[in-house]
Amino acid sequence: MKILVVEATCVPYEKEITPSLAEMQAVVGGTIQAIYPFKEPIALICNDEAKLLGLPLNRALYDGNGRIYDVIAGTFFLCEAPVDSSSFASLNDMEIQQFKHRFRHPELFVRVGNHVVAIRAKE
């Protein structure tokens, strides 16, 4: 299965894994959680306990107005979402390029009052 791995301080990279639970857990470093924050049928697979474990904050998720509504902690990966309760699947080349671009800049997070602000690293 072709996935896109996103680590906190790195640009995203492609990786080939077997679609087993053990290998998916190895990528994120623990138990997995799948979330679906995109319009596209893409799953974001992250460590279910990343924030509790104090893993580094990685990338922000933004609402339609460009405001941060969540921050993913720890390494995560993207893959094709299951259809009709089948298993996760490979990203196609277009999806890989689209999400490499979306997550290309590592982010640093700071609290300003009651808000979290993301500062994107430049290439």
Side-chain angles (χ1 to χ4, degrees):
M1 175 170 79
K2 190 188 317 185
I3 63 172
L4 186 67
V5 180
V6 183
E7 296 181 19
T9 59
C10 302
V11 295
Y13 60 91
E14 296 173 49
K15 184 172 183 172
E16 194 75 37
I17 65 169
T18 59
S20 69
L21 178 60
E23 194 150 353
M24 289 188 277
Q25 289 176 330
V27 173
V28 302
T31 57
I32 63 171
Q33 173 186 19
I35 60 174
Y36 305 94
F38 313 113
K39 289 184 250 182
E40 302 87 353
I42 303 295
L44 186 154
I45 310 297
C46 57
N47 184 316
D48 188 37
E49 299 177 323
K51 290 177 184 170
L52 294 173
L53 295 170
L55 296 181
L57 297 179
N58 188 337
R59 299 295 200 283
L61 297 176
Y62 298 88
D63 66 16
N65 296 316
R67 290 187 296 251
I68 295 173
Y69 70 86
D70 198 4
V71 176
I72 304 297
T75 298
F76 66 89
F77 70 89
L78 304 170
C79 61
E80 191 77 30
V83 178
D84 299 328
S85 64
S86 62
S87 60
F88 297 109
S90 290
L91 294 172
N92 64 43
D93 290 339
M94 187 177 76
E95 292 165 336
I96 294 266
Q97 292 312 310
Q98 175 185 352
F99 285 95
K100 267 187 180 179
H101 180 75
R102 180 180 275 185
F103 291 112
R104 74 185 176 278
H105 298 294
E107 295 175 314
L108 174 66
F109 298 94
V110 293
R111 180 175 290 279
V112 179
N114 292 330
H115 303 281
V116 173
V117 176
I119 301 167
R120 291 187 176 153
K122 297 294 178 193
E123 292 177 357

